Amino acid sequence: MGIGYNTITFNQDKCDGCGDCMLACAQAKAGSDDIVHSRIQILTTDQPSGDPQASDSGAIELAMCRQCGDPKCVSNCPAAALTKNATTGTIDWHADKCVNCLLCTVGCAFGGITYNAEIGHVTKCDSCDGNPACVKVCPKGALEYNTSGSIYNRISDKDDLFVPGLSACQGCNSELLIRHTLRNVGTNVVVATPPGCIPGMGTVGYNGKTGTKVPVFHPLLTNTASMLAGIKKQYNRVGRDVTMLALAGDGGVGDVGFQSLSGAAERNEQQLFMCVDNEGYMNTGMQSSGSTPAGSWTSTTPVGKEMQGKRTDAKNMAKIMMMHNCEYVATASLAFMDDYYEKLDKAIAASKHGFAYLHVYAPCPTGWRFPAADTIEVCRKQVESNFVTLWDFTPEQGLRFTRSTDNPIKMAEYLKQIGKYRHLSEAQVEHLQRRVNDQVRSLKAFEQLTEVS
Amino acid sequence: MTAIEKTIDSTLESACQSKTLVCDGNEAAAWGVALSRPDVIAVYPITPQSSLVEYVSQFVAEGIIDAELMNVEGEHSVLSALQGAALAGARTYTATCGPGLAFMFEPYIRTPGLRLPIVASLVTRDTLTPQCVWGGHQDAMLVKEAGWIQMYCETVQEVLDTTVMAYRIGEHPDVMLPVNVNSDGNYLSYGVTGISLPAAPLVDAFLGEKNVNWHAALDPERPMAIDPLTGGAGGPGPKMFVNYRKGQTDAMQNALRVIEETHKDWGDRIGRHYSPLVEEYRLADADYAIVTIGSMTGAAKDAVDEARDRGEAVGLIKVKTFRPFPVAAINRALNKVKAIGVVDRSVNFGWNCGPLYQETIAAAQKLQRFMPSASFIGGLAGADITVEHFSEVIEDTAKLLKGHSYDEPVWINRND
């Protein structure tokens, strides 16, 4: 695994060009209100391109150091005044070595290192030692300090407990999830994977061979939580602390698996139950489930003269589990890995005391009809559009959003990437938007409460 | 042994010490459970089993049973939780019947394939519909091909004794299969009689050391995958599947021997002897016999005695072990008579007869001689099959010797 670093990310769609970031940077780095000292520059393209189809007319762009992995500024520098910091990942500029030749500025395609005439040498972003001033002031959330890259460094030392080479579809979100989850959970675990994509890709194995380096089994589609509860009871009886982990699809969670899940949550059984929600029965050929959103094409909610995809809304399983007052409930998306890791740690800890439920949204390139390379992007837009929301819950704390639901991107931005929504009418899109707004409003109401059930 | 274990031991021991007890079959089953020292018990109540799981729960509350008690949300989860517990090494117990068994069916049919020696009492009940909460064997007969060992008890005492024996049979390395201890709803579940409790140390010695999941386990200390997919013609899957299945059927046949050995050892240690597979009653000099199963046998034996007093050369064959079906044992008995009348407390819809009748004549076919036979169906929905009813059964069976034949089953209780 390569080395990953924290980075400042910029979302063009959210930026309104207010310039607060530049002011904050100038103040932080030069003690001045003059944005000439800012190492982040927000640029507005004033000149329309003339092409009516072009979307870049009047677009906002960012000039700032990307802290490149293969930095041209560093290789251009004849004086070794620029170096890549192996620990932080930033490109460090050393004043004592700089000969002011400005070759570095020629090398950079991002406007990330520029000559500041007022002080007489180049300046560049140093990420404020991991606490960037620009990110803190951005009112639209267009700038974020993304820490997920460095997480990969932390976990790369841990054993991958899943075999290399699986029969998952290209671009599968669930394989990524399993690898990361098992790395963190470790070997002192029993893993239950009810029928679905997760065992289908070889987790339990085929013909006497296993796909996992920890104890793993097929429960029925219907009884995952009950079987884990029985295992845990016996380990408690003999005084051994073993983690119980379920990796279940949305059908084994919210449809046919719901009774045993609800019963186990009511009894506060000590287990971490994870729903990997790909909005349907993808393993068996993309049939509709209780998690399939309204309007979705599936192979059992086809599109024709009499039916235009699923007729009813998905149930919000995470909310339903919150109403069970579980030890811990959270939603997560693999586009927000740092958030996921934080929640996974909390869920593992909670499962030592009682029932922990993690609902991970898992867009499926095969079943949803989008290119395999776009999985993480679809994950991201699913969250950014509020189609799904990231939050967690404990009985003491109540519900807490872990990512703001303010200023979402347009629903259409999310839907347009996905083939299963291609046929949607305006009315259907409006329905989905209303549903999403209602869900956010309802969750926000819960945020105000500490006692939910 | 820890201090807690000692306390619990003394509780169970003092509770069972050379005791004679007046109780019903459900309480007797609970004492059998207590003496077997299970680790994990999961329960969900259903008539007429409910008082059984109430007794078990009470015993846990009092410390007579030292087990994890799981009050789960339905029979499906009951057996699922026990499967998990057994895969982690637990000795397990539950009880159910009727609609509860039907709801349990999905994990039920999987248990033998997982080779988990779970013991579950079936307090047998007729199936819906018509709506009915009363005894009958239809529930147990519906699951006879699922792969569980099934033994039908005749008396309250036998319920207790068979419950303990079930653990030794199921956990035997040559068997490793789940066991149903069947007791007739109403007649055994609520029938009160005097029984004697064996002393706990005797039962401990009889059961020996617990070793439930030596073959397969979900244990981080020896990681393995349980039940990976077998699959697909053209690969090794079908061959593996076939061999697993054959292993199951072989284990069922092994169970016949183990059931006999276990009953003998129980008799030697505890002093109560039962016919493990098939009981022969007044059969040696009989011309014909009636075949029974379960608690009806008591009244049937009385009717045979009365008929003998009248000079009828009638005997009785009782089937205790129905799964695996004891073909050799039943044929040894059938070989002694010229005609049989088989009494069922359930129906076989496909053959218009009782299931025990169908199985018995299937076995008789191996005798290679024609066995005149009649199917009697009675005791449905808790109806009583009285001595008078059995006298009629004997009379109707005797007609077979004079060339009479029956095209349809004879329905008992139809005009009660």
Side-chain angles (χ1 to χ4, degrees), chain A residues 87-147:
Chain A
T87 309
T88 65
T90 53
I91 311 294
D92 296 336
W93 173 72
H94 308 285
D96 53 331
K97 291 185 180 166
C98 179
V99 295
N100 256 351
C101 67
L102 307 190
L103 282 172
C104 54
T105 65
V106 178
C108 181
F110 304 105
I113 186 161
T114 50
Y115 183 69
N116 182 337
E118 297 218 358
I119 55 174
H121 59 74
V122 292
T123 61
K124 67 174 294 301
C125 171
D126 60 5
S127 299
C128 296
D129 294 327
N131 190 19
C134 54
V135 172
K136 283 187 282 186
V137 300
C138 178
K140 297 292 182 191
L143 288 166
E144 287 180 47
Y145 190 58
N146 193 320
T147 55

Side-chain angles (χ1 to χ4, degrees), chain B residues 77-105:
Chain B
S77 282
V78 160
L79 193 53
S80 303
L82 296 188
Q83 287 180 355
L87 284 165
R91 179 175 284 171
T92 57
Y93 177 76
T94 194
T96 191
C97 65
L101 178 61
F103 185 41
M104 187 186 275
F105 188 62

Side-chain angles (χ1 to χ4, degrees), chain A residues 49-197:
Chain A
S49 63
D51 177 0
Q53 297 296 316
S55 61
D56 64 342
S57 303
I60 292 168
E61 286 185 7
L62 171 77
M64 187 174 69
C65 176
R66 268 39 171 199
Q67 321 291 357
C68 299
D70 180 23
K72 287 284 178 281
C73 57
V74 173
S75 56
N76 276 10
C77 180
L82 287 160
T83 52
K84 176 83 176 172
N85 185 319
T87 309
T88 65
T90 53
I91 311 294
D92 296 336
W93 173 72
H94 308 285
D96 53 331
K97 291 185 180 166
C98 179
V99 295
N100 256 351
C101 67
L102 307 190
L103 282 172
C104 54
T105 65
V106 178
C108 181
F110 304 105
I113 186 161
T114 50
Y115 183 69
N116 182 337
E118 297 218 358
I119 55 174
H121 59 74
V122 292
T123 61
K124 67 174 294 301
C125 171
D126 60 5
S127 299
C128 296
D129 294 327
N131 190 19
C134 54
V135 172
K136 283 187 282 186
V137 300
C138 178
K140 297 292 182 191
L143 288 166
E144 287 180 47
Y145 190 58
N146 193 320
T147 55
S148 46
S150 57
I151 286 170
Y152 294 94
N153 300 341
R154 181 153 56 81
I155 66 145
S156 66
D157 293 337
K158 299 181 179 176
D159 279 343
D160 184 356
L161 297 170
F162 211 12
V163 290
L166 291 157
S167 55
C169 303
Q170 206 172 34
C172 178
N173 183 78
S174 304
E175 181 192 344
L176 187 68
L177 174 77
I178 296 166
R179 289 195 192 282
H180 283 267
T181 303
L182 290 184
R183 273 191 147 99
N184 256 31
V185 172
T187 54
N188 188 27
V189 67
V190 173
V191 181
T193 70
C197 293

Side-chain angles (χ1 to χ4, degrees), chain A residues 187-191 204-211 213-223 226-231 233-237 240 242 259-260 263-264 266-267 269, chain B residues 38-40 66-74 76-77 80-81 83-85 87-90 103 106-107 110 114 218-221 223-231 236-237 240:
Chain A
T187 54
N188 188 27
V189 67
V190 173
V191 181
V204 186
Y206 288 97
N207 293 334
K209 294 192 171 67
T210 179
K213 297 175 190 169
V214 293
V216 63
F217 69 104
H218 272 125
L220 298 166
L221 189 54
T222 43
N223 69 358
S226 307
M227 284 192 76
L228 282 179
I231 298 165
K233 279 281 182 292
Q234 177 63 7
Y235 278 118
N236 282 351
R237 182 172 170 80
R240 284 176 59 189
V242 179
Q259 175 173 325
S260 63
E266 176 265 320
R267 297 189 304 275
E269 303 284 2
Chain B
D39 300 296
V40 179
D66 169 26
E68 298 285 331
L69 175 67
M70 300 178 72
N71 293 101
V72 300
E73 82 294 338
H76 195 287
S77 282
S80 303
Q83 287 180 355
L87 284 165
F103 185 41
E106 193 192 16
R110 193 188 189 203
L114 286 169
L218 286 168
D219 186 346
E221 286 176 7
M224 65 173 88
I226 299 293
D227 211 9
L229 203 64
T230 59
M240 294 181 80

